[in-house]
Amino acid sequence: MFEVLVFVYENYWRGEAVPELHQLERKLSAHGFEPDEIHDALVWLDGLNIAADQSQPTPEAPEPFTASPHSLRVFSVAEQDHLGAACLGFIAFLESSGVLPPYLREIVVDRAMAAPGDPVPLDALKIIVLMVYWRFGHEPDALVLDELCDDTEGRLAH
């Protein structure tokens, strides 16, 4: 599924250029992706679209979800188990860096909970964060993009 999401991100980097899901399914199939991978990715993308549409401003709620600077997000046991320590730490890092506001964090967590893996691999979470930025039309700055695209396997901790 994540290979399909990366393909969509790389080929439709402007979210509005993405064809309808049934047309996208045909294009992905033509590029050689397996039907199960395509189905899983399209279901996941549909969930992302629903979450993004629900977070859009309305007359009743003119701003996206905002949190007090003193608020604390407590993850449920199910979220802790499914995301694992590495993903939770990465989410906290993005938040503390000021690049993942609370309303996007909630969508990242929602989409990560819909992703396979137990726990979700950190590389998969990075793709999820990229897809959430992509869906909202946010272009991460170079340092954030480097962190999201960096391969940590060859990294030596000091």
Side-chain angles (χ1 to χ4, degrees):
M1 174 181 94
F2 290 105
E3 292 84 13
V4 175
L5 293 177
V6 168
F7 178 86
V8 170
Y9 180 83
E10 289 175 345
N11 289 279
Y12 303 102
W13 62 277
R14 291 278 184 220
E16 59 273 358
V18 177
E20 293 294 323
L21 291 181
H22 65 277
Q23 292 173 332
L24 181 58
E25 181 178 14
R26 286 194 308 242
K27 289 183 181 219
L28 293 169
S29 182
H31 279 280
F33 290 106
E34 294 294 321
D36 290 344
E37 286 182 311
I38 294 170
H39 174 74
D40 292 347
L42 293 180
V43 167
W44 191 92
L45 282 170
D46 190 45
L48 177 60
N49 288 335
I50 291 168
D53 290 344
Q54 290 175 349
S55 73
Q56 296 301 318
T58 63
E60 298 82 33
E63 292 185 27
F65 170 74
T66 57
S68 163
H70 304 291
S71 65
L72 175 69
R73 169 60 154 94
V74 178
F75 291 92
S76 71
V77 172
E79 290 171 334
Q80 291 175 37
D81 290 343
H82 189 69
L83 297 175
C87 289
L88 291 172
F90 190 72
I91 290 170
F93 162 72
L94 292 175
E95 276 189 284
S96 67
S97 299
V99 297
L100 189 65
Y103 77 100
L104 287 183
R105 177 203 58 221
E106 292 307 309
I107 294 173
V108 166
V109 170
D110 173 70
R111 296 293 72 217
M113 292 299 290
D118 227 4
V120 172
L122 182 56
D123 288 340
L125 180 74
K126 289 179 178 184
I127 293 169
I128 291 168
V129 172
L130 277 175
M131 294 304 294
V132 169
Y133 281 151
W134 169 81
R135 175 56 178 85
F136 280 85
H138 297 321
E139 195 169 321
D141 67 29
L143 293 175
V144 173
L145 193 58
D146 185 51
E147 187 64 36
L148 291 171
C149 297
D150 188 28
D151 182 14
T152 57
E153 284 187 27
R155 199 183 279 180
L156 179 61
H158 298 279

